[in-house]
């Protein structure tokens, strides 16, 4: 809370600061533009579509892209419109990527800040733990989680915590398709914070002996106030850069999981699941592979370019 | 040096215990029971199955039994393939996964290192810049996108390589290329920045000033630190490589460890899941230990304790 408020205070200047590196680089502007387009398209695009993502039409199964029948990107084997599936799939892919990134940023920033600020033995132990976690087969653990824990009773504690009515629509949804979504948020958020923790720790370590920290302490500010209102806002540049870089990596992992058939269940399909469907039909209907693969790779590349641009602006080297 | 290695080995043991215990309880706490899935089975048969696999005992007895088995590298029986032990399945999977993984990593080093050095030494060359631009795509193109596209091009259009299968040398080509592409790109970029950093150092200028042959400078003063940064990426990359084989084996229908793992996860074959995760954890920790020791041997600065 505190942090958000203090960032809001310098809002105008920080917006300008973030935009500055984009001025110098056409590819970064193009990437940011493309991402905005994708975001708008998946948010409001489905409103103008004549077809739902799960609407089948067996007579038009596997029809190639065409302007005549309204299936601009063709249909899959059940006659479902590929454009509609791409837009809904994009919603799911981006939703998972963004929420898991927010979770992982929260964990990473808090962890790194504590480690860097307290230093000494605390720092030693906490960073050792990060080193260790870096080389764990956590991807396998995520797969285990997705395979074994996608059961309705898993979300019961969450339903109680949020005080939802057990028979309400929200609880129903959570127990059904929601379980896998919640598991994806939690699992991917829980494993993606390591790099950010290291970065934040380094920043705090470099900043904590600056005069303004001493001034804050002299003015009677407590440990947490210093950390969250004075130190972290000063490290916001690298934090934003690495948060943006986390988005594509989370998206990629979600796509991996969906590709393996352990993600969201049909008829819901994120981009990874669409690529998998496309792979199975690629010899007869190559468009089913080419469009999902293309849009996903382009989105990933654009996130990567934007993130790298922000990162280089702060670190001053490629 | 000996002390450092001993310390790392002593650190690896509790870590191994931690991850095995974590996995054991993760699998044990999963909702549902191993034999109460799609088909309802009579209670007596389920009780008999539970007794046979020791599932009727309290958790600490099961845990102790499992740990005792692991100490002898015995992963127990598979629930879904009653005529094979988990150890046998893991061994069979490794026969396919290890050649692919080793070949992919060798290819990544063999292509990525020279490319990175070239990119650092000839930053103006258009060809090198185009290759490094391609490397950005290489880093972010997921292997499950690249794999099918390669199959579409080289198997279904040009008929050069088989689209899937296992057993002959030509079956290896597409999976290895698919798996290694991202690492070629990543290692090239790591090497490039490592070499660039080293070239800017004072000791390189000193060596030039006193007339050391440029090739000797490159080999002795520039490549060594650059290699270190590549080597320290080995740990995480092994983890990703392992995860990558899961996808590759699905695309190319290869009966490897990753294939068995996904099958086990979909079948809820608890012991097989546990066995494969335990095995990969052990393999990763041992390999990381070896990498750390190699770094310590190469880098005189690390000997006193922790690395950068």
């Amino acid at each position: 809370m505190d942090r958000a408020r203090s960032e809001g205070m310098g809002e105008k200047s920080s917006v300008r600061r973030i935009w500055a590196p984009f001025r110098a680089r056409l590819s970064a502007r193009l990437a940011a533009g493309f991402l905005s387009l994708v975001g708008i398209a998946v948010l409001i695009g489905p409103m103008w579509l004549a077809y739902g993502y799960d609407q089948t039409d067996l007579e038009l199964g596997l029809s190639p892209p065409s302007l005549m029948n309204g299936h601009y990107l063709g249909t899959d084997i059940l006659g479902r419109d590929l454009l509609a599936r791409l837009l809904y799939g994009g919603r799911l892919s981006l939703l998972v990527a963004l929420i898991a990134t927010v979770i992982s940023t929260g964990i990473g920033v808090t962890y790194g800040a504590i480690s860097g600020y307290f230093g000494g033995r605390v720092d030693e132990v906490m960073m050792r733990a990060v080193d260790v976690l870096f080389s764990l087969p956590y991807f396998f653990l995520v797969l285990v989680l997705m395979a074994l824990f996608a059961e309705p009773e898993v979300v019961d504690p969450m339903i109680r915590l949020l005080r939802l009515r057990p028979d309400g629509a929200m609880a129903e949804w959570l127990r059904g398709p929601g379980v896998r979504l919640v598991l994806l948020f939690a699992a991917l958020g829980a494993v993606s914070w390591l790099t950010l923790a290291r970065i934040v720790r380094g920043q705090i370590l470099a900043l904590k002996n600056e005069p303004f920290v001493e001034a804050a302490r002299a003015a009677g500010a407590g440990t947490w106030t210093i950390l969250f209102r004075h130190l972290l806002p000063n490290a916001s540049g690298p934090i934003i850069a690495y948060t943006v870089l986390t988005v594509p990596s989370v998206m990629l992992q979600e796509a991996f999981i969906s590709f393996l058939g352990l993600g969201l269940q049909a008829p819901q399909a994120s981009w990874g699941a669409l690529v998998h469907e496309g792979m199975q039909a690629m010899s007869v209907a190559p468009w089913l592979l080419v469009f999902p693969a293309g849009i996903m790779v382009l989105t990933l590349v654009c996130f990567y370019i934007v993130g790298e641009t922000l990162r280089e602006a702060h670190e001053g080297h490629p | 040096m000996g002390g450092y290695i001993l310390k790392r080995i002593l650190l690896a043991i509790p870590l191994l215990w931690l991850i095995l215990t974590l996995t054991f309880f993760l699998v044990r706490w999963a909702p549902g029971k191993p034999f109460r899935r799609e088909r309802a089975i009579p209670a007596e048969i389920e009780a008999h199955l539970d007794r046979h696999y020791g599932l009727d005992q309290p958790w600490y007895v099961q845990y102790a039994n499992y740990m005792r088995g692991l100490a002898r590298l015995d992963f127990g029986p598979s629930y879904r393939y009653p005529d094979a032990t988990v150890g046998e399945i893991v061994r069979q999977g490794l026969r396919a996964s290890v050649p692919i993984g080793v070949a992919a990593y060798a290819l990544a080093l063999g292509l990525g290192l020279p490319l990175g050095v070239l990119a650092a030494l000839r930053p103006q060359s258009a060809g090198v810049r185009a290759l490094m631009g391609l490397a950005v795509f290489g880093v972010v193109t997921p292997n499950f996108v690249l794999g099918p596209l390669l199959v579409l091009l080289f198997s279904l259009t040009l008929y050069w390589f088989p689209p899937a299968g296992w057993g002959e040398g030509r079956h290896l080509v597409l999976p290895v290329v698919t798996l290694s592409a991202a690492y070629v790109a990543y290692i090239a970029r790591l090497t490039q920045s490592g070499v660039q950093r080293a070239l800017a150092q004072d000791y390189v200028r000193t060596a030039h000033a006193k007339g050391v042959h440029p090739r000797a400078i490159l080999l002795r003063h520039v490549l060594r630190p650059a290699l270190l940064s590549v080597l320290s990426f080995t740990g995480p990359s092994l983890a990703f490589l392992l995860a990558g084989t899961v996808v590759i084996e699905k695309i190319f229908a290869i009966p490897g460890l990753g294939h068995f793992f996904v099958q086990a996860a979909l079948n809820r074959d608890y012991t097989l899941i546990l066995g494969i995760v335990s095995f990969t954890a052990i393999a990763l920790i041992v390999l990381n230990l070896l990498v750390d020791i190699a770094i310590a041997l190469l880098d005189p600065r690390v000997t006193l304790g922790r690395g950068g």
Side-chain angles (χ1 to χ4, degrees):
Chain A
M1 268 305 147
D2 284 349
R3 198 175 132 236
R5 211 184 308 143
S6 65
E7 269 180 0
M9 287 192 304
E11 196 169 17
K12 198 167 181 192
S13 67
S14 68
V15 166
R16 196 171 297 155
R17 210 172 51 228
I18 287 171
W19 187 244
F22 288 86
R23 272 173 209 282
R25 201 182 277 192
L26 177 65
S27 66
R29 284 203 302 280
L30 284 177
F34 179 79
L35 289 180
S36 321
L37 268 183
V38 168
I40 293 169
V42 303
L43 264 185
I44 60 173
M47 287 198 286
W48 280 288
L49 285 178
Y51 306 96
Y53 71 102
D54 54 352
Q55 188 180 333
T56 58
D57 183 354
L58 291 176
E59 296 198 350
L60 279 176
L62 292 182
S63 52
S66 137
L67 291 175
M68 305 306 291
N69 59 11
H71 295 294
Y72 303 117
L73 296 183
T75 59
D76 70 2
I77 194 157
L78 297 174
R80 293 179 293 198
D81 183 53
L82 182 59
L83 181 60
R85 287 178 73 67
L86 271 183
L87 291 177
Y88 278 102
R91 273 189 188 178
L92 293 173
S93 288
L94 289 172
L95 184 75
V96 170
L98 293 178
I99 293 194
T101 299
V102 168
I103 294 174
S104 84
T105 301
I107 302 177
V109 166
T110 314
Y111 192 97
I114 291 174
S115 180
Y117 188 74
F118 291 102
R121 248 197 126 67
V122 177
D123 185 41
E124 168 99 11
V125 170
M126 286 176 86
M127 281 300 121
R128 227 345 163 208
V130 168
D131 288 350
V132 163
L133 290 174
F134 247 112
S135 47
L136 284 189
Y138 56 78
F139 187 70
F140 284 72
L141 293 180
V142 171
L143 289 182
V144 171
L145 207 65
M146 290 307 298
L148 297 186
F149 282 75
E151 300 284 331
E153 58 256 46
V154 169
V155 286
D156 283 345
M158 193 171 148
I159 289 172
R160 277 198 298 276
L161 194 73
L162 295 175
R163 297 177 188 222
L164 298 172
R165 267 193 304 126
D167 51 346
M170 188 68 195
E172 277 302 303
W173 177 84
L174 263 180
R175 283 211 200 92
V179 175
R180 283 170 180 273
L181 212 54
V182 170
L183 276 179
L184 277 174
F185 295 156
L188 293 178
V191 298
S192 311
W193 52 271
L194 297 172
T195 309
L196 193 62
R198 274 189 181 167
I199 303 290
V200 171
R201 177 248 182 193
Q203 292 287 323
I204 299 298
L205 216 53
L207 287 170
K208 72 175 181 186
N209 293 324
E210 295 281 321
F212 71 86
V213 178
E214 208 174 324
R217 200 173 293 131
T223 304
W224 301 107
T225 315
I226 293 178
L227 248 185
F228 285 96
R229 289 198 66 169
H230 298 279
L231 282 170
L232 281 176
N234 274 292
S236 63
I239 292 175
I240 292 171
Y242 278 91
T243 300
V244 174
L245 283 171
T246 306
V247 177
S249 91
V250 172
M251 224 169 120
L252 201 56
Q253 294 183 55
E254 186 276 327
F256 262 124
I257 294 166
S258 296
F259 182 85
L260 294 173
L262 291 167
L264 303 169
Q265 296 297 290
Q268 289 187 317
S270 70
W271 284 345
L274 289 177
V275 171
H276 185 233
E277 285 175 15
M279 188 189 92
Q280 289 167 325
M282 67 183 165
S283 52
V284 284
W287 61 90
L288 286 177
L289 173 64
V290 172
F291 288 121
I295 186 94
M296 192 166 84
V297 172
L298 265 178
T299 307
L300 289 169
V301 169
C302 288
F303 268 118
Y304 190 70
I305 290 174
V306 170
E308 284 288 301
T309 306
L310 291 169
R311 188 182 66 82
E312 281 171 28
H314 289 284
E315 295 179 3
H317 61 80
Chain B
M1 178 58 67
Y4 170 74
I5 293 173
L6 193 70
K7 197 174 147 198
R8 289 312 314 265
I9 294 177
L10 287 181
L11 262 173
I13 294 170
L15 172 63
L16 207 55
W17 170 80
L18 189 75
I19 175 97
L20 295 178
T21 305
L22 188 78
T23 319
F24 178 86
F25 285 107
L26 190 68
V27 171
R28 202 64 22 164
W29 280 334
K33 289 189 127 194
F35 300 110
R36 209 180 284 158
R37 278 290 111 201
E38 54 283 333
R39 256 179 303 128
I41 51 173
E44 301 128 66
I45 296 183
E46 194 189 332
H48 184 73
L49 279 169
D50 280 354
R51 199 161 49 246
H52 179 73
Y53 289 112
L55 294 173
D56 54 341
Q57 284 161 340
W59 62 266
Y60 48 86
V61 177
Q62 293 185 33
Y63 176 70
N65 283 340
Y66 186 70
M67 284 294 165
R68 209 172 301 137
L70 276 185
R72 294 184 314 242
L73 285 180
D74 173 12
F75 295 99
S78 158
Y79 290 167
R80 293 286 157 151
Y81 308 101
D83 47 350
T85 67
V86 171
E88 282 162 7
I89 296 173
V90 167
R91 259 197 299 283
Q92 199 195 329
L94 285 178
R95 269 203 283 279
S97 297
V98 168
I100 294 179
V102 170
Y105 198 68
L107 187 66
L109 282 179
L111 275 179
L113 280 176
L115 185 61
V117 173
L118 212 64
L121 294 182
R122 308 239 182 295
Q124 307 303 329
S125 149
V128 169
R129 286 174 65 135
L131 275 177
M132 290 313 282
L134 204 64
V136 175
F137 272 86
V139 169
V140 290
T141 304
N143 43 23
F144 62 86
V145 170
L146 186 64
L149 290 178
L150 288 180
V151 170
L152 197 57
L153 181 62
F154 290 106
S155 303
L156 303 178
T157 313
L158 295 170
Y159 304 107
W160 286 2
F161 301 107
W166 187 245
E168 294 164 47
R170 62 204 178 95
H171 285 130
L172 262 173
V173 179
L174 287 183
V176 168
V177 170
T178 308
L179 186 56
S180 67
Y183 300 98
V184 174
Y186 202 86
I187 287 178
R189 286 166 61 87
L190 268 181
T191 313
Q192 183 194 16
S193 67
V195 168
Q196 273 170 349
R197 234 190 338 261
L199 282 175
Q201 297 289 334
D202 289 340
Y203 58 78
V204 171
R205 201 176 36 191
T206 311
H208 272 297
K210 67 179 188 183
V212 181
H213 192 275
R215 196 179 302 139
I217 296 179
L218 187 67
L219 286 178
R220 202 172 308 148
H221 298 297
V222 174
L223 278 187
R224 199 163 136 158
L227 259 180
L228 274 175
S229 65
V230 171
L231 205 55
S232 49
F233 168 67
T234 310
S237 80
L238 282 170
F240 287 122
L241 213 62
L242 269 169
T245 54
V246 178
V247 174
I248 300 295
E249 286 165 10
K250 176 151 175 126
I251 297 174
F252 296 98
I254 297 165
L257 200 59
H259 165 80
F260 287 120
F261 178 72
V262 174
Q263 282 311 312
L266 291 170
N267 287 337
R268 292 175 162 261
D269 188 339
Y270 288 48
T271 41
L272 189 51
I273 294 173
L274 201 51
I276 293 179
V277 175
S278 308
F279 176 81
T280 45
I282 295 172
L284 268 180
I285 287 170
V286 170
L287 287 170
N288 271 310
L289 194 64
L290 294 178
V291 169
D292 280 349
I293 292 172
I295 290 175
L297 291 175
L298 268 177
D299 187 348
R301 287 170 305 181
V302 185
T303 46
L304 289 178
R306 349 185 309 123

